[in-house]
Amino acid sequence: GRFTEPGDLAPIVHWMTSPNVDVRWRATWALFRPRNPAAVPHLLTLSKDVSPEVRFWAVRGLVPQLVDQLASPTLTRDIAAARLREAVKDTDRRVRTEALRVLTAYDDDASVAVVVAELDNADTWMSVSAAETLGRHKTRIAEIAPRLAAASAPTRPLALRLAAVTPLTQLAPPLALDTLTSLLGHPSVYARTVATQALRNMGPLGQQRLEAAAKDPALKDLLIAPPTPGGGRAGGGGRGGAPALPDRPIEDYKRLVEQWIVPAYSGAPNPRAIWTTAKGEIAIELFAADAPLGMEELVRLTESGAIVGPAFTRLVPNFVAQQATIPGANRLRDEVNRHGLLRANLAWASSGLDTGRPGYTLGNTPQPHNEGDFTSLGRVVRGMDVVDRLELGDAITAARIVK
């Protein structure tokens, strides 16, 4: 899957029927990743595999562009779209989510109707996935805009409101104004920031709302200030762009070896982090010996209480739940190890080598394409169902390290 140039598929196809599900899902991933039209018939077959671990990777490869390039009379857009519509009703949540996200690229009446209907799904993985891409159907404004407006109403989940109002500003800006204005007063800083930026991007119409909000006693103190001219993003830049981390005395490394590595090699059980959230408790086994610098920072942020409070502001369905940057978190060296970025992995956000600052990231799904670029600090051993149910704005409300 890391070799993205189209090539001979036979060595991968060979493993499609392996009795080992880990081999089959990796083979499916390797077929999906290069975007090779020749893989589409194999992915269609794998989309009906008995394992959801295989099916959710397989449906991701049934995109209309590849079907068109295949130019096969036995595998047309209609056939692929029908399979995706069927997969939207799959028994597994991950398969349903990935099928829907691919189906949003199809523009036939039946497929668009299925996507629009999912705006009413109580599962935000589904409703958010539907909302995010409906802006592409500009010829269906009369049908889609009222549904997006309803999805962005104050009674709907915050993640859906933000996902729906973005395409709404493209399709029917006047319908987005009330939602954006109401979000200016939302308790979530993230929501207020999204709303403010969207209004600024709307031109005079949005600017009028911002000016009116600035005069509203209930809103004026909550408004997000515009970025300073020439200001950039805080923290590290792109890959290789961050300044070098300061040297540390050898005593620091000796202390970390004695504290975390020696006990692991002596057979001591790995420490655990216990996080409490509104959705339940999450227990994470920590790979302290494989990422002692990351472990040191996690302990510091836990013992200081800084890890409590920053909200999960990036929740990509069937991908990651990512916490906002923790105030006072240090930039970390990457400690790439052999644990791999599997489902339930704990890592931290990064924009390149040695640029990352926690908030922490929990993986909903395997991410083999990112292996080698992120540190695996631990893995959820209890409460993965809690991770899958996290909503935008949820936060860690209590945390402790169990050694």
Side-chain angles (χ1 to χ4, degrees), residues 156-335:
R156 308 305 294 276
L158 177 60
L160 176 58
R161 297 183 71 195
L162 294 175
V165 80
T166 300
L168 192 60
T169 58
Q170 304 166 11
L171 296 177
L175 292 180
L177 283 173
D178 288 344
T179 292
L180 292 172
T181 303
S182 70
L183 288 170
L184 293 177
H186 198 279
S188 165
V189 174
Y190 176 73
R192 300 202 303 270
T193 301
V194 170
T196 302
Q197 189 59 52
L199 286 167
R200 289 193 183 118
N201 291 340
M202 287 175 68
L205 198 63
Q207 190 60 39
Q208 289 174 9
R209 284 298 177 104
L210 286 172
E211 291 171 358
K215 299 174 184 177
D216 185 338
L219 293 178
K220 64 180 182 179
D221 293 335
L222 295 174
L223 296 182
I224 303 297
T228 56
R233 293 169 59 187
R239 294 201 168 273
L245 288 162
D247 290 335
R248 298 180 60 161
I250 192 66
E251 290 78 11
D252 277 6
Y253 293 102
K254 180 178 179 181
R255 172 179 54 80
L256 289 171
V257 169
E258 292 175 344
Q259 185 175 9
W260 301 118
I261 298 177
V262 171
Y265 276 90
S266 299
N270 285 333
R272 292 189 175 192
I274 310 296
W275 293 352
T276 302
T277 75
K279 298 295 189 295
E281 192 172 84
I282 303 168
I284 307 168
E285 179 186 12
L286 300 168
F287 305 139
D290 297 288
L293 295 169
M295 182 68 191
E296 176 187 47
E297 181 69 354
L298 176 61
V299 170
R300 185 184 75 84
L301 294 172
T302 301
E303 292 181 345
S304 70
I307 197 172
V308 172
F312 286 91
T313 54
R314 183 180 181 228
L315 285 98
V316 182
N318 199 36
F319 185 53
V320 294
Q322 184 173 306
Q323 189 186 30
T325 301
I326 299 171
N330 291 317
R331 187 159 60 89
L332 295 175
R333 296 185 187 278
D334 286 314
E335 300 171 272

Side-chain angles (χ1 to χ4, degrees), residues 133-166:
T133 55
L134 279 172
R136 71 179 61 184
H137 297 293
K138 293 181 171 52
T139 61
R140 298 175 182 264
I141 293 176
E143 171 191 357
I144 290 173
R147 298 296 297 274
L148 287 171
S152 64
T155 56
R156 308 305 294 276
L158 177 60
L160 176 58
R161 297 183 71 195
L162 294 175
V165 80
T166 300

Side-chain angles (χ1 to χ4, degrees), residues 214 255 362 367:
R255 172 179 54 80
L362 295 165
Q367 299 167 30

Side-chain angles (χ1 to χ4, degrees), residues 76-96:
T76 63
R77 271 196 180 214
D78 288 344
I79 293 172
R83 174 67 194 112
L84 290 169
R85 292 195 298 270
E86 181 183 12
V88 168
K89 301 176 183 177
D90 195 272
T91 56
D92 188 88
R93 185 191 193 197
R94 295 164 296 170
V95 180
R96 294 195 298 270

Side-chain angles (χ1 to χ4, degrees), residues 27-65:
T28 308
W29 173 77
L31 287 167
F32 147 73
R33 280 280 293 171
R35 306 296 196 272
N36 185 344
V40 173
H42 303 297
L43 292 171
L44 184 66
T45 298
L46 288 163
S47 75
K48 299 179 182 179
D49 191 272
V50 296
S51 170
E53 306 289 341
V54 174
R55 296 199 301 274
F56 87 73
W57 285 117
V59 295
R60 291 185 65 176
L62 302 182
V63 296
Q65 298 90 332

